[in-house]
Amino acid sequence: MPSELSAYVSDTTPGRGALRPARSWLHSDAPSLSLNGAWRFRLSPTASVAQDFAAEGFDDHGWESIPVPSHWVLEGDGAHGRPIYTNIQFPFPIDPPHVPDENPTGDYRRHFAMPAGWSDAERIVLRFDGVESLFRVWVNGVEIGSAAGSRLAHEFDVTRAVRPGDNVVAVRVHQWSAASYVEDQDQWWLPGIFRDVTLTARPADGIEDVWLRTGFRDGRGRVEAEITAEGSAFPVTLRIPELGVEQVWATAADVTPVDAGEVEPWSAERPRLYEATVSTAAESIALRVGFRTVEIRGDRFLVNGRRVVFHGVNRHEAHPVRGRVFDEEHAREDLARMKRFNVNAIRTSHYPPHPRLLDLADELGFWVVLECDLETHGFEKGGWAGNPSDDPAWREAYLDRIRRTVERDKNHPSIVIWSLGNESGTGSNLAAMSAWVHARDAERPVHYEGDYTGEYTDVYSRMYASVPETELIGTDGTDTRLLNCTPAQSARQRAKPFLLCEYAHAMGNGPGALDQYEALVHEHPRLHGGFVWEWRDHGILATAPDGTQYHAYGGDFGEVVHDGNFVMDGMLLSDDVPTPSLYEYKAVVQPVRFVFDGDKVAVTNLRHSADTSDLRFRWRVEYDGTPVDAGDLEVPVVAAGESGWASLPPVPVAPEGETWLTIDAVLATAAPWAPQGHVVATVQSDRSPGVPVPAVRHRTGWRADGGTLTLGTAEFVDGSLVSLAGRAVTGPRLELFRAPTDNDKSPSDGVEESDASVPGVSNAELWRRDGLHRLTARRVSAERTADALRTLDKVSAANSALFVMVESVWSLEAGELELRVEIEPSRGWTTVWPRIGIRFDLPDGTAPVDGAEWFGLGPSESYPDSLRAARTGRFSSGIDDLSVDYARPQETGHRSGLRRLTLTSTGAEVFRVEALPDTHGRRPGFTLSRHTPQELARAKHPYELPASTTSRLTIDAAQHGLGSRACGPDVGPEFALRPEARTIRLRITAG
């Protein structure tokens, strides 16, 4: 690479040339022209110093056409390179600020006609809202300047280069640059011009920038205006018509605070906005104003004087086809979906989003932690050697990034915290960023998780702290040292509000223990909730060799350096399908809490500021899952943070079976994010009398069995089930294995995990070591009476002396077929088990099993540490819908608390199963799938699963919990499944 070019791409200077100072993203009536659309495009494998393509007369007819905004690696079916996913590591050698000569470079060209009348403008500004990573701009062959900061806005003054009529703009974009070292943000590397490009005619005596700082206290609103304009632009007028505000400032010196009178405050629950304009004779700017005051008082984070609890998610910009290209309709639905699932906060990980998204956050109502476009995580592996965060040569780059972050979005009431970035170690440059923010915006606090000792931030923040550690942080009076802190530093951090900027890593099937974190928030006021990692999977739509479309992850595009499916860690799948974890989250953080007391129920409003006048409370009674009565519950309006009592309706108890009372809090009228009747919160109460479990009948006169045997409609050969009601069925076989979840596959760090964990080794490895995926059975004995069959099997783990004894007793009880299975492990097992269950295989035959109806917990899957979203009722589902299409196949589909199950084929019953509780009252769960756990474990993508002609029914006495060990704590000890004796009792009836 020529030295001139090498110096350019490795320059840490954030921008050069006619680059304008950062300012707000404003809705102005000044003329503008979108340059989005088709551009001519050429991709080169390396950077070039040649600039001939920028000349006006350059012939680009041989070039391709590419849409702007877009990412070139997502255009052209792979002809323009491929996406690269890394989490921590850089996809190139760490040699800051230098990058490889192999530096894909895209050249863009586009003609535009300057509108008539623009020659009267004082200034013509060319704006880029997002370009990855380093770009240089020419207009009509004149070099304008360059800039870096991929998710930041840059404006160039092109007044001297443009002319009436036809103009040509040329842009050169380098995928790698010095800026890449500070943009290592656990996402796809997606180069190109991926946000809007706009040309604007700035009028003489216009408004360069506006900041309306709003406050709320004692029912009244206040506006402090900051107007950036030439003196000749005055007078400037502020109007808020709904409030009757019309304030005229004759000169800049006259701009003083304005009392807006009585106002409704803005909050994430009641996002009240007022239309405002700031005008001169030449330009009018429209804003939407929300009145709110942000403050830290002691160790409380308050908005409008009330403590905020963040029920938040980390949100990347990601779409399976567009990548980070913004689509407003999709973004609005994305945020509306968050509201429907009780999400009230967003951390913009780890950069400012498209500016329009924050308009939507203002409108729909979210607490927003706005994060700077900064992460240097790849330096961690080398002990942070060479990390730019403490290198003075990078100081201006860091300051430029935070300036552009704050200045662009400072008018948004939804933004309540500024975040310096993510996982960039610590150092003087971060401290300088914080000092700049404090000087620029004294109201909103500064966040940065990596400031563990609290030297320059206002809130204490951690990621993936375990439940016990989080409790210690919230507990008063303890002198336990916090992470990386001295006693004095620990005391300082405990005096601040605490939030989990990342927790509950939602990769694949998980996380568990969401309810335990939520309980701590209500117990310890210093704890202010947090942000689940993360909102959605980042899969990119791809086509498999067999033509099947799937969502690709790291390594699927032939990357040499990548981090696999770690990018698939959201509560929403790549195609917008909510996972069970999102339903669990909704239930855990629901803003209304119910406590039953006899014939009354206490209703507690956990909201920040909204009362319950927008809700209706509905009740229903079900007998064994069948509705028998329903109505409205008369609940008084409950203010935020208060409780009220309501009388329950009379609930007649079913003479046999179970009686359940369910209360739903629903929207009384439609909201912008959900229809009328949308369920916000729900609770169930079991009103059943105790029902005795049928006793086990002990038989005598057992004799050796051989040959065939019929018990009711069940046929056995040599002690093994072969058919039921003439249908081929085999089983039960002991099943201890589950297809490892992403959490199961993560190595243990040995910290606060179960005593069965092995540091540095994943559960999946331990299970394979112990041979749980390929158990071998040996029939020890088979005996029968006239109406019963008993078999004893020794089931051994492969290449091991470990075993499990399995006694199965089939019997006819009052004409019904009953199966009792006693499972007892040998001594010597040292690790947790994934499950304790039995499996039946049902070949398709003439009537394939295609669905299930059940009475138990549902409708979605549930596990020991993820049960809050599950309710007791009757549910039905097709076999394929019982499982979740995680990007990497893994354990899925388990339904807990089974009472009765009916397998169906095209609507007809195949057979029915009644599950009886064991002697401890524990009920089994079930999984119905087209694939075995072993088949799921072998596949890396759903399309790799083999075609199946057999349905698999597994009845589990127990399952291991989920945890969030892929990036966080392991399964809690109370949810860890240790090898133990279990009993499964079933009554089976043919359809």
Side-chain angles (χ1 to χ4, degrees), residues 697-703 783-788 790:
R697 177 183 169 192
H698 294 285
R699 289 172 168 77
T700 59
W702 293 99
R703 63 184 184 275
E783 301 173 305
R784 59 169 295 184
T785 66
D787 58 357
R790 179 172 67 188

Side-chain angles (χ1 to χ4, degrees), residues 94-367:
I94 300 177
D95 183 24
H98 307 291
V99 294
D101 293 350
E102 294 79 14
N103 189 354
T105 296
D107 290 333
Y108 295 78
R109 283 172 56 89
R110 145 160 211 159
H111 287 263
F112 67 89
M114 194 167 78
W118 279 33
S119 55
D120 297 331
E122 180 183 59
R123 183 180 302 113
I124 307 297
V125 173
L126 179 61
R127 180 184 181 97
F128 295 84
D129 279 304
V131 183
E132 183 176 330
S133 71
L134 170 67
F135 68 106
R136 187 182 297 190
V137 182
W138 294 262
V139 174
N140 296 327
V142 177
E143 183 170 347
I144 303 301
S146 63
S150 298
R151 269 66 67 177
L152 304 169
H154 298 89
E155 291 184 326
F156 297 91
D157 187 339
V158 298
T159 310
R160 295 183 180 179
V162 295
R163 63 193 176 210
D166 183 62
N167 293 261
V168 62
V169 57
V171 183
R172 171 163 285 166
V173 181
H174 303 289
Q175 177 163 10
W176 310 124
S177 68
S180 302
Y181 284 102
V182 295
E183 294 179 357
D184 184 30
Q185 290 145 320
D186 186 10
Q187 61 182 343
W188 294 97
W189 299 87
L190 299 174
I193 305 174
F194 68 93
R195 286 186 185 160
D196 306 294
V197 182
T198 310
L199 197 70
T200 302
R202 300 289 308 127
D205 294 335
I207 301 171
E208 186 65 20
D209 201 2
V210 173
W211 186 4
L212 298 185
R213 308 188 198 207
T214 61
F216 175 80
R217 196 172 301 277
D218 299 326
R220 301 183 70 84
R222 175 183 174 91
V223 179
E224 294 184 25
E226 179 183 292
I227 311 296
T228 304
E230 297 292 333
S232 58
F234 286 82
V236 173
T237 303
L238 166 67
R239 293 184 178 89
I240 310 177
E242 190 175 350
L243 299 177
V245 172
E246 182 165 341
Q247 176 69 49
V248 180
W249 295 300
T251 68
D254 296 328
V255 179
T256 54
V258 175
D259 183 349
E262 292 187 0
V263 301
E264 297 176 52
W266 185 97
S267 73
E269 294 163 358
R270 289 182 170 170
R272 183 65 162 94
L273 295 171
Y274 295 87
E275 301 291 335
T277 58
V278 177
S279 307
T280 69
E283 182 179 15
S284 181
I285 289 172
L287 302 97
R288 293 188 299 180
V289 174
F291 292 93
R292 56 102 184 96
T293 295
V294 179
E295 62 180 320
I296 291 177
R297 194 181 303 162
D299 60 0
R300 307 290 194 275
F301 176 83
L302 310 176
V303 174
N304 298 333
R306 297 186 65 89
R307 172 177 174 255
V308 171
V309 174
F310 295 99
H311 293 135
V313 294
N314 282 274
R315 181 188 182 274
H316 267 291
E317 293 187 305
H319 186 273
V321 176
R322 297 188 302 271
R324 282 189 286 277
V325 175
F326 183 76
D327 177 86
E328 183 164 333
E329 182 179 355
H330 184 262
R332 180 180 287 276
E333 174 54 27
D334 209 36
L335 268 59
R337 185 182 294 108
M338 289 182 186
K339 296 284 286 190
R340 293 195 293 271
F341 282 91
N342 291 332
V343 173
N344 71 4
I346 299 170
R347 177 179 177 229
T348 67
S349 52
H350 299 291
Y351 44 81
H354 188 284
R356 182 71 180 126
L357 185 93
L358 296 164
D359 285 342
L360 300 178
D362 292 343
E363 174 188 326
L364 293 173
F366 290 92
W367 311 115

Side-chain angles (χ1 to χ4, degrees), residues 464-720:
Y464 308 113
S466 67
V467 170
E469 184 183 4
T470 303
E471 184 173 23
L472 277 174
I473 292 169
T475 302
D476 290 329
T478 177
D479 58 0
T480 305
R481 290 192 187 188
L482 302 178
L483 181 70
N484 295 337
C485 287
T486 65
Q489 292 165 340
S490 297
R492 175 168 60 196
Q493 292 293 63
R494 279 201 176 86
K496 298 177 181 179
F498 176 77
L499 61 87
L500 286 159
C501 66
E502 295 177 22
Y503 81 110
H505 193 263
M507 186 176 180
N509 191 347
L514 285 167
D515 54 343
Q516 294 182 321
Y517 284 102
E518 180 67 11
L520 293 179
V521 167
H522 299 289
E523 184 178 352
H524 303 287
R526 178 182 306 127
L527 307 182
H528 288 72
F531 299 81
V532 170
W533 187 269
E534 64 175 308
W535 171 239
R536 67 162 59 241
D537 284 358
H538 299 213
I540 293 177
L541 195 64
T543 303
D546 65 357
T548 303
Q549 288 196 317
Y550 70 102
H551 291 104
Y553 49 74
D556 287 339
F557 296 102
E559 308 104 296
V560 176
V561 177
H562 66 85
D563 285 304
N565 70 319
F566 208 71
V567 75
M568 309 299 245
D569 48 12
M571 295 192 292
L572 198 68
L573 299 181
S574 301
D575 56 0
D576 294 340
V577 174
T579 67
S581 69
L582 189 52
Y583 289 96
E584 179 76 0
Y585 185 79
K586 175 185 178 181
V588 165
V589 305
Q590 63 184 29
V592 180
R593 183 168 57 198
F594 305 87
V595 177
F596 292 95
D597 185 3
D599 60 354
K600 293 186 177 182
V601 61
V603 179
T604 301
N605 179 3
L606 301 175
R607 291 164 157 180
H608 171 269
S609 48
D611 61 28
T612 60
S613 58
D614 62 327
L615 301 177
R616 287 179 57 198
F617 294 85
R618 295 175 176 169
W619 62 268
R620 66 181 180 275
V621 176
E622 295 169 320
Y623 291 166
D624 279 1
T626 300
V628 295
D629 202 0
D632 287 342
L633 192 69
E634 295 298 323
V635 178
V637 174
V638 181
E642 302 296 328
S643 297
W645 286 91
S647 297
L648 295 172
V651 182
V653 175
E656 295 181 359
E658 300 182 35
T659 301
W660 286 88
L661 170 66
T662 302
I663 299 174
D664 291 327
V666 305
L667 290 180
T669 59
W673 44 269
Q676 179 182 5
H678 166 76
V679 177
V680 173
T682 191
V683 69
Q684 281 193 312
S685 176
D686 185 0
R687 320 297 274 193
S688 311
V691 178
V693 178
V696 175
R697 177 183 169 192
H698 294 285
R699 289 172 168 77
T700 59
W702 293 99
R703 63 184 184 275
D705 176 64
T708 62
L709 172 66
T710 299
L711 291 178
T713 63
E715 299 289 336
F716 299 85
V717 175
D718 294 331
S720 298

Side-chain angles (χ1 to χ4, degrees), residues 924-937:
F926 83 95
T927 303
L928 179 64
S929 174
R930 301 294 295 175
H931 296 96
T932 68
Q934 292 76 11
E935 289 172 335
L936 290 169

